[in-house]
Amino acid sequence: MKRYLIPLSFLSIGIVSCQENKKDADKKSDVPEAVQTAFEKKYPGENDPDWKQDEHGYWESHFKKDGEKYRADFNADGSWVETENSIKDGELPEAIKNVITEKYSDREITEVERVDGAEKGIFYDVEFKQKGKNMDVEFREDGSVISQ
């Protein structure tokens, strides 16, 4: 009986692994074809993104480009919404650093992203720690504030 226990354990693990892979494959097949086509056109050569649908209904693709992590959002009809990637504080344009020093020096930065949006163009989203929900401030490269 004991000699069957180990092979049976490996068999069970294998079956569970196959089921998990099937779930991932089903998720990718849920992505609308228009979204997959739009992604392939916008990011040729990036052929293995991870997909999920967010709370706004956007289809999010997570992928790496030149070793950096990116997230691109698309509507179900395939229209591109935005692409963002995390950057370090030091990579912010000088004008934005100056505004942060002037207006937000008492706040701790928790995240910085460079965003290229279909509607807003290129901007930088800086998240500051605060009690409750963190505060996001969007900046243009010249340091002007888009939204707070």
Side-chain angles (χ1 to χ4, degrees):
M1 181 72 173
K2 287 183 183 179
R3 97 173 96 141
Y4 296 111
L5 193 56
I6 292 175
L8 186 60
S9 297
F10 284 116
L11 180 62
S12 297
I13 290 170
I15 290 171
V16 170
S17 295
C18 288
Q19 288 174 340
E20 288 301 314
N21 289 339
K22 184 169 177 5
K23 286 180 188 174
D24 290 343
D26 287 346
K27 253 187 189 175
K28 287 181 183 177
S29 67
D30 290 343
V31 179
E33 188 173 326
V35 172
Q36 292 181 38
T37 301
F39 176 85
E40 290 167 8
K41 186 175 180 182
K42 186 148 183 75
Y43 300 102
E46 302 298 328
N47 55 11
D48 192 26
D50 293 323
W51 290 98
K52 76 174 198 175
Q53 194 168 20
D54 71 10
E55 65 272 4
H56 304 292
Y58 298 138
W59 286 95
E60 292 182 356
S61 60
H62 297 260
F63 61 100
K64 282 189 175 183
K65 183 177 170 186
D66 300 326
E68 291 188 38
K69 292 180 184 178
Y70 286 80
R71 187 190 89 209
D73 296 344
F74 295 86
N75 286 306
D77 66 1
S79 58
W80 171 72
V81 177
E82 69 179 18
T83 301
E84 62 184 42
N85 74 300
S86 294
I87 63 172
K88 294 178 174 60
D89 306 358
E91 296 176 74
L92 282 167
E94 284 303 314
I96 297 173
K97 290 180 193 177
N98 293 338
V99 173
I100 290 172
T101 300
E102 291 171 20
K103 295 184 177 183
Y104 305 100
S105 62
D106 61 330
R107 299 186 181 261
E108 177 187 343
I109 295 175
T110 58
E111 183 178 22
V112 179
E113 295 174 324
R114 181 185 182 277
V115 183
D116 185 5
E119 291 183 15
K120 295 182 183 179
I122 294 174
F123 64 95
Y124 295 83
D125 184 358
V126 181
E127 183 177 283
F128 296 97
K129 187 174 185 170
Q130 72 177 17
K131 192 172 187 174
K133 189 178 186 298
N134 287 347
M135 177 178 74
D136 281 296
V137 181
E138 295 176 348
F139 296 92
R140 290 271 177 233
E141 191 167 354
D142 66 3
S144 58
V145 175
I146 300 172
S147 69
Q148 184 172 335

